[in-house]
Amino acid sequence: MWKPDRDSKKPIYEQIAAHLEQRIACSEFPPGSLLPSERKLAEQLGVNRSTIIQAFAELRSIGLIESQTGSGTRVSQTKWGATPPYALNWRQYAEGGSFLPNVPFLRRIREALQQQPSLIDFASGELAGSLAPTAEIQQLMREHTYTSYLGYDNPQGYVPLREALVTYLARHREIQTTESSILITSGSQQSLFLIAQCLLSPGDAVAIEDPSYCYSLPMFQSAGLRLFRLPVGSSEGYVDEIRKLVKKHQIKMVFMNPNFQNPTGTLYDLERRRQLLNTASELGIPIVEDDPFSLTAYDRPVPPPLKAVDTGGSVIYVGSFSKIAASGMRIGWMVAPNAIVERLADARQQMDFGLSVIPQQIVAQFLTSAYLEPHLERLRLQLQFRRDSLLEAVGRELPGLLTYEAPQGGLHLWCKLVPKVHDGKLLEEAIRRGVVFVPGSVYGSSDGYVRFTYARPRDPEEIGPGIAKFAEALREAAD
């Protein structure tokens, strides 16, 4: 993001005015469009609001913008004295279309992180840079050449990567499959998008865990799907609830995350897994199993995924490189019947002609290298240390103010707040104090829940101060 040069002899307000003039000239802000508010622009650029007022005054003096009390500041319809024959209403286009924007809290979090990079980040659902196998990947890139072919690749994904995944899934997840039943995607989110858009139709009903990461993805609503809730808690009555939903709403598909569920950290027991598979087979409905966290189990093996014991062919399995290594590589995978893989590969090819082959080559090398096992062991130890640091800080800074169950794997801690507090007020108070988290309502719960991602802070040393800042925000918001 552009920032004014504080070492320049040119006054900062003039730099800002010139920058805005350039953006207007390039039609980034067309005639009639609304400019960011003075307060918001001041936050973005790290200056006083009075500086923005001066910059706006400069632009107003040359007729480039106009302000109206209560309506904000807009680019003049007659900029530089030239009246356009027709001023396109780009905002109408931006707010139109069938693909919905992210939920407001997530947009606010993203905006805050962009404006204040120093925020202690308990919100972003990914690994900190220090947890990624950066040195190992750099070494692989030095050892191998990745330029043999740079054209469009197989629409299902790079064949050696799919072959590497066959071995990886068999060894680490007990899933027996073939390379022809694997589709490489740009991550779990693209896998879910392809399923929602290509295997379901507007008006179809699907069952989603409550709470669930899926609620934070407007892609389901954009596809016109009707969402119905399945409680994540006890397994008692869970299968009966699925039967009721199928009978009442003709559920077409069930989406779930059985291992260290996001956001709650729940680990489904073997009995629930057997019940789920038997019920899905009996009712003839597929289960989409999202499994990003299994290999992060700290001190005990996790049960095999549903796909590993799926004798009836009811499960589409979704995995990702993001939560165990590097989200920036943008590599995920789906294991499904060949007909489904071919259908989704065809759809994905229409979108982007396939993924970049170089990241696929790197990940294929990493999965078959001697680096994988030591990295996974180190990752588990580091995540457990971060979790313990978070629990210690919560006990010290928030005694009696929240309840939780300590996760045995994954990246997140799910908490229920004891004081009654509005999610939006708490989030803003936290941002003001230098920390950010995800309110539970993003995942479909009511106010009063929070998700802390302890894998994301840049350094474990940030965790204690971050929770102290959150505690201050909670006490203020609850007053």
Side-chain angles (χ1 to χ4, degrees):
M1 178 183 291
W2 179 87
K3 297 280 188 181
D5 181 2
R6 297 184 179 276
D7 295 326
S8 172
K9 295 181 179 179
K10 187 175 184 179
I12 289 178
Y13 82 90
E14 289 186 7
Q15 294 181 50
I16 294 171
H19 175 68
L20 290 173
E21 182 176 349
Q22 181 183 32
R23 295 174 72 181
I24 292 169
C26 294
S27 295
E28 184 177 340
F29 293 115
S33 63
L34 188 66
L35 292 176
S37 68
E38 293 167 355
R39 179 191 61 79
K40 186 173 182 179
L41 201 54
E43 289 178 357
Q44 290 177 349
L45 301 179
V47 299
N48 293 326
R49 185 177 174 184
S50 59
T51 305
I52 302 299
I53 292 173
Q54 282 184 287
F56 277 7
E58 183 81 4
L59 296 175
R60 202 178 295 112
S61 70
I62 59 175
L64 200 55
I65 64 173
E66 49 197 29
S67 302
Q68 186 173 348
T69 303
S71 299
T73 300
R74 296 180 180 274
V75 178
S76 299
Q77 292 281 4
T78 56
K79 64 174 184 178
W80 296 299
T83 304
Y86 177 71
L88 278 172
N89 185 354
W90 285 110
R91 180 168 292 276
Q92 182 179 6
Y93 283 92
E95 295 174 351
S98 60
F99 197 79
L100 300 174
N102 266 319
V103 296
F105 278 145
L106 292 184
R107 296 203 301 272
R108 176 66 182 112
I109 290 166
R110 181 177 60 197
E111 176 189 68
L113 288 169
Q114 290 173 343
Q115 293 174 4
Q116 305 175 54
S118 62
L119 283 174
I120 297 175
D121 184 4
F122 290 120
S124 302
E126 60 177 322
L127 301 177
S130 59
L131 298 178
T134 306
E136 293 90 334
I137 288 175
Q138 289 177 341
Q139 182 62 31
L140 287 172
M141 294 177 70
R142 285 191 290 267
E143 293 173 356
H144 297 87
T145 301
Y146 299 102
T147 56
S148 57
Y149 177 66
L150 296 179
Y152 296 131
D153 195 44
N154 189 304
Q156 278 186 228
Y158 182 57
V159 173
L161 174 55
R162 288 188 278 137
E163 292 172 343
L165 281 167
V166 169
T167 303
Y168 167 85
L169 291 170
R171 180 172 183 177
H172 292 280
R173 304 305 303 124
E174 302 179 38
I175 294 173
Q176 304 301 319
T177 188
T178 63
E179 56 87 17
S180 62
S181 295
I182 295 176
L183 173 68
I184 304 301
T185 66
S186 64
S188 297
Q189 204 148 309
Q190 187 182 58
S191 296
L192 297 176
F193 175 83
L194 289 169
I195 290 168
Q197 290 289 335
C198 303
L199 305 186
L200 297 163
S201 300
D204 281 350
V206 299
I208 293 178
E209 295 167 313
D210 176 25
S212 171
Y213 171 71
C214 289
Y215 280 105
S216 71
L217 303 176
M219 68 173 69
F220 291 94
Q221 291 92 333
S222 297
L225 304 179
R226 294 179 295 135
L227 307 182
F228 294 92
R229 299 172 182 245
L230 286 171
V232 169
S234 153
S235 61
E236 188 174 340
Y238 193 83
V239 169
D240 290 338
E241 188 65 26
I242 293 177
R243 293 181 186 278
K244 290 177 185 177
L245 290 176
V246 171
K247 183 177 181 180
K248 185 175 181 179
H249 300 290
Q250 291 75 54
I251 295 293
K252 294 289 185 69
M253 194 172 281
V254 178
F255 290 80
M256 56 183 48
N257 173 198
N259 285 338
F260 311 123
Q261 194 260 359
N262 186 5
T264 67
T266 301
L267 181 65
Y268 287 20
D269 59 33
L270 283 171
E271 180 59 26
R272 177 184 279 200
R273 292 167 195 258
R274 282 194 290 266
Q275 290 178 354
L276 285 170
L277 287 172
N278 291 338
T279 303
S281 179
E282 176 190 338
L283 298 175
I285 56 173
I287 295 174
V288 177
E289 179 184 20
D290 189 11
D291 187 27
F293 305 119
S294 286
L295 296 185
T296 63
Y298 304 143
D299 51 14
R300 61 174 173 172
V302 300
L306 296 174
K307 186 65 177 175
V309 290
D310 174 30
T311 58
S314 302
V315 177
I316 295 176
Y317 180 84
V318 173
S320 171
F321 195 64
S322 298
K323 309 306 181 187
I324 59 168
S327 56
M329 298 298 286
R330 304 312 306 135
I331 296 293
W333 49 84
M334 186 190 309
V335 181
N338 186 250
I340 297 300
V341 168
E342 289 181 352
R343 169 73 177 96
L344 300 186
D346 175 76
R348 213 273 308 283
Q349 189 177 36
Q350 295 179 53
M351 295 167 56
D352 57 15
F353 277 98
L355 305 174
S356 168
V357 70
I358 293 178
Q360 294 184 80
Q361 291 174 337
I362 294 171
V363 173
Q365 291 289 343
F366 184 76
L367 292 178
T368 57
S369 74
Y371 297 130
L372 176 63
E373 297 287 352
H375 164 69
L376 291 175
E377 181 61 28
R378 185 171 62 250
L379 176 64
R380 285 188 283 262
L381 291 172
Q382 291 174 326
L383 286 175
Q384 186 173 10
F385 175 76
R386 284 168 171 260
R387 180 207 61 178
D388 293 346
S389 297
L390 178 61
L391 297 182
E392 181 184 353
V394 165
R396 182 178 64 250
E397 303 292 344
L398 294 160
L401 294 179
L402 50 77
T403 60
Y404 61 86
E405 289 189 17
Q408 302 305 308
L411 316 182
H412 315 297
L413 177 67
W414 179 248
C415 303
K416 178 175 174 55
L417 303 177
V418 174
K420 289 187 177 180
V421 61
H422 184 270
D423 279 356
K425 183 178 180 183
L426 178 57
L427 179 61
E428 291 302 327
E429 291 290 347
I431 290 172
R432 272 194 282 274
R433 286 164 173 76
V435 64
V436 67
F437 65 95
V438 181
S441 56
V442 167
Y443 306 110
S445 73
S446 57
D447 280 2
Y449 289 84
V450 298
R451 191 196 77 174
F452 295 117
T453 301
Y454 48 85
R456 183 54 185 155
R458 288 173 290 267
D459 189 287
E461 296 298 320
E462 288 188 332
I463 291 175
I467 293 301
K469 294 173 186 292
F470 175 84
E472 292 175 6
L474 177 58
R475 290 185 174 94
E476 177 67 26
D479 288 341

